[in-house]
Amino acid sequence: MSNTTVTQKRRTLKVAKSSKTLNVSSGVFRPNQSTTKSINPLFSGKSFGSTGDSKVVDKISAQTPKHTAMVVDENGQDVTPHPLYNPDPGVLQSKQGKVFTALDTSLTTMTEFPSIAFQTTNASLTGPFTRSFFGSASASRISQTAESVTDETKDLLVKQDLSNSISDIQSHREEPKEQLRENILDSTANCYLSETETIWLLDIPAVSVSVESEDAEAVKERNNAYTELCKNRQGNDKYVERSMQTFSDASKTKEVQCDSITMVDKAVMCTVWDMYDSFNNISDVSANTVVSSERHEATIPESSSEGHLVHPKRSNQSLSVVSTVSTVSGSSTHIEKMACVLPLDEEPDLQLILQSDKLKQDLALMERVVLANVFQPKLAAYRQLPIIEDPDCVQMVMEEESWTEQSKNSHCPFLERLWDFSCELTMGRNVSCMVWNKKNPDLLAVGYGQVEFKNPNSGLVCCWSLKNPTWPDRVFHCESGVTALDFSASNANQLAVGMYDGTIAIYNVQTSEQTPITDSSDCANLHTSPVWQLTWIDHEDGLAADKGEILVSVSSDGRISKWIHYKSMECVDLMKLKIHDLQWKRHISSLTPGMCFDFHPNDSKIYLVGTEEGHIHKCSSSYNEQYLESYKAHKRPVYKVTWSPFCSDVFLSCSSDWTIQLWRQDLQIPVMGFTSGQRVVFDIMWSPHCATVFGAVSEGKVEIWDLRVSSLDPTLVNWTSPGVNPTALLFSPETDCVLVGDSEGQVTVYKLKNITAGGGSQGETLEDVIQSTLSSQH
Amino acid sequence: MAEVEDTLKRIQAQHGVIGTIVVNGEGIPIRTTLDNSTSVQYAGLLHQLTMKARSAVRDIDPQNELTFLRIRSKKHEIMVAPDKEYLLIAIQNPSE
């Protein structure tokens, strides 16, 4: 730092403390003697001794003297530095040496001073700090310079000079600007980077003094004096306690009246489904307007039960309802809200509700639920579930006890009556056939029609569900008595119905429509006599066009026909039943009526036919000229022939000659014959669970035969009420229940008790029985 | 329409059924086999319960929907088939 010249011309200043740095710094305040101004009155008498610390740094001196007070020179000019000169201190810092030299020389250099300051900029942030500090710093310097103070005024002069210089700077600011600019453009500028001085933001002098410092003695003395004072205070006349009273003004009540603040409670409950509905309704509101013009909206999901209220005539009304519901669903549903928005006419609303499909479904569901309560123990028994007793009702318990008691006590097999399917529609009709649905084991189709030549009345087909034993799910009225039924296996909703007048119809049970899908009444080859049996057969090996299921029927006109239905039914004769027995040749036609048939469970080409002559023929569907085999044992019409589900060689036949015959297909004479009383056997069926068990229905009784136990007598005989003949028998494929249809239109469900299937292979058991019988015969 | 009436009659005729009520969306019974005060009471109470049950079902899964509600009490069983426009209520005493 080229401050040497500065140090030589030191002004005389007051000295409080000595520091070398101060000497240097004091050079700043070297007055420019050429300019003499009057003493700034503001500065007289000010003492800055308190700031006598060695805080001043060299750089400070380079700052322009800034003071917070207003500075007015003798001429009355306001020489308070303007903010414009904030950069100046920084400038001065950097240009420290040059500035000083400038100050040294002449006024002109002083005039250069601001320009230099102007051009070299520095952080203007230091400005305000330095300015305010300068006041103290300069004062401190003033107080600290080691020289003897001779002239206070000189201090002030210095200040004044500086202020004047500032004023000069201010006034001459404009003039040297251009000159210097040109000069400096050519010359090289040297930048001196220097540190700013430490900026003190807070300076609280220490209250405590070091013991070793010079003031320590004085401070100690003062402290001691104070403690003595405190001691002497009490009881000392010098000190008198005095208290003051403040007056409290009289209080005054002031009232203010304002309007009552009405409070309204508002609450919203936000639930997960609420948000979900709002999301969906944003998109659905636009869709609903389209929806309302259509009738069928079953496909629209969930938020459109509004669709049920739609009526084409009332589209406007329904629209309003639609929008209502959609807004209502957005908030917690209030009935009142719906009430005020719905139109005033309530009658149509009532009608709409009562006609809605949903109500029908709900009613059906409710009916089933109610019935489930009523029939719960029976249904549980049917499904082989444990029967749960209701703890709340005592009466039930007693009834059940008596009911189950019988079953527990006896070990012999018996039929436990569960319930019966009957309603007023079916009363008085004769049950002719029953069949389970292939897909839904709870669905039962029952055909009602006369068996014999009675007054032909219209037939009825009822589809019963286990869940509702009091009313059928579907009712189809047919023109003539129903004699044969079968459900299709591939299309489980198709039910083929064979009638007394030879018509075959296929119904779709999914709907309640009374008209069948197809009817054979237009076919040229339709049966002219009652169709006694129908079967759907899966013809895998047929012609390409025949693949899939085919309906086969047997009728009293002596034909076994295969029906194909694409648009209308067409039939192809599989077999014509030619008369073998001369006794029957007196009939008009050359064909003998077929009463029943049964396809082989394993081979769908082989089937057995039972005829009215009493003969049973084994035929093949690929050969329609001749029988493969004939079995002659019955004297009277064969009502039923059925293969054993366990033994592929064995079949059973029943006839109106009071007998049931068990055959093996390779033997011309039956293996066993069963008879029990002189009663016509209407229907037989093998049990699907046990190979040696079959059921038979004859006049007035239901018999269950078990060949392991006895082949002479039925194991179980259940007499029906007098006058009522059981006419049809059906085993339930999944549970151990037997359904018996009778001539009064009732289908009774019985549970087989205490007939066990037994171990070992079923087929072997039956074969053993047969073998033993055969061996015993020879 | 006739089908609806028939089914309602059949339900009412079942064993142990005390009454059946069809309530419209406003809570007014439109078809009932009980007296008016009882019907209105059942309608009001069960409507609230059905709302709560539906809210519970849908809170768990908003795509689900309440289809049937059964309340088994000591003396009887109340069965409610709810819908947006109506409520179908049946009260049965299964032990009779």
Side-chain angles (χ1 to χ4, degrees), chain A residues 135 303 323 354:
Chain A
S303 66
S323 57
L354 289 175

Side-chain angles (χ1 to χ4, degrees), chain A residues 277 358 362 367 373 390, chain B residues 10 58 72 77 83 86:
Chain A
D277 279 346
K358 185 98 188 337
D362 280 344
E367 196 180 356
N373 274 336
D390 197 348
Chain B
R10 281 208 307 274
R58 295 202 71 210
R72 183 82 175 93
E77 179 161 359
D83 188 78
Y86 62 86

Side-chain angles (χ1 to χ4, degrees), chain A residues 4 40 44 98 116 165 241 257 261 263 300 316 371 454 595 647 676 739:
Chain A
T4 50
N40 190 348
S44 60
K98 277 202 177 171
I116 294 164
S165 65
E241 273 200 16
Q257 191 173 18
I261 301 165
M263 310 272 270
I300 294 173
N316 292 333
L371 284 165
K454 284 181 190 169
M595 301 296 296
C647 273
S676 68
L739 278 76

Side-chain angles (χ1 to χ4, degrees), chain A residues 269-274 276-277 302-309 325 329 333 335 338-339 342-343 346 349-351 353-360 362-367 369-375 390 392-396 399 468 470-472 512, chain B residues 1 3-8 10-11 14-17 20 22-28 30-31 47 51-52 54-65 67-68 70 72-75 77 79-86 88-90 92 94-96:
Chain A
M269 186 168 77
C270 185
T271 52
V272 174
W273 55 266
D274 203 350
Y276 181 84
D277 279 346
E302 356 178 53
S303 66
S304 65
S305 56
E306 303 108 30
H308 296 293
L309 291 187
V325 175
S329 66
T333 53
I335 310 173
M338 282 180 82
L342 276 176
E346 291 176 7
D349 179 41
L350 184 119
Q351 292 300 316
I353 289 179
L354 289 175
Q355 280 168 10
S356 65
D357 288 333
K358 185 98 188 337
L359 183 66
K360 286 178 198 161
D362 280 344
L363 278 168
L365 179 65
M366 182 68 77
E367 196 180 356
V369 170
V370 167
L371 284 165
N373 274 336
V374 175
F375 283 103
D390 197 348
D392 288 330
C393 22
V394 179
Q395 297 163 1
M396 267 293 253
E399 279 175 26
N468 187 352
T470 59
W471 194 260
S512 307
Chain B
M1 185 65 191
E3 201 180 317
V4 165
E5 297 288 346
D6 279 346
T7 317
L8 271 172
R10 281 208 307 274
I11 293 176
Q14 290 298 342
H15 176 77
V17 173
T20 51
V22 180
V23 180
N24 74 349
E26 301 173 18
I28 299 167
I30 50 179
R31 280 276 183 281
H47 185 87
M51 287 292 136
K52 199 69 184 168
R54 178 182 286 142
S55 176
V57 166
R58 295 202 71 210
D59 264 349
I60 294 165
D61 178 9
Q63 289 177 334
N64 208 350
E65 176 66 57
T67 52
F68 207 83
R70 283 170 91 151
R72 183 82 175 93
S73 74
K74 198 165 170 187
K75 293 190 184 168
E77 179 161 359
M79 290 156 279
V80 180
D83 188 78
K84 286 204 168 65
E85 288 95 38
Y86 62 86
L88 174 63
I89 303 165
Q92 185 189 19
S95 60
E96 273 178 19

Side-chain angles (χ1 to χ4, degrees), chain A residues 558 576-593 611 613 615 617 627 632:
Chain A
K576 286 194 168 65
L577 302 168
K578 299 185 183 106
I579 295 175
H580 274 209
D581 204 342
L582 295 168
Q583 180 190 358
W584 290 82
K585 277 234 165 121
R586 62 176 178 271
H587 284 245
I588 297 168
S589 78
S590 60
L591 299 173
T592 173
T611 63
E613 325 172 274
H615 298 170
H617 306 286
Y627 307 131
K632 299 168 190 178

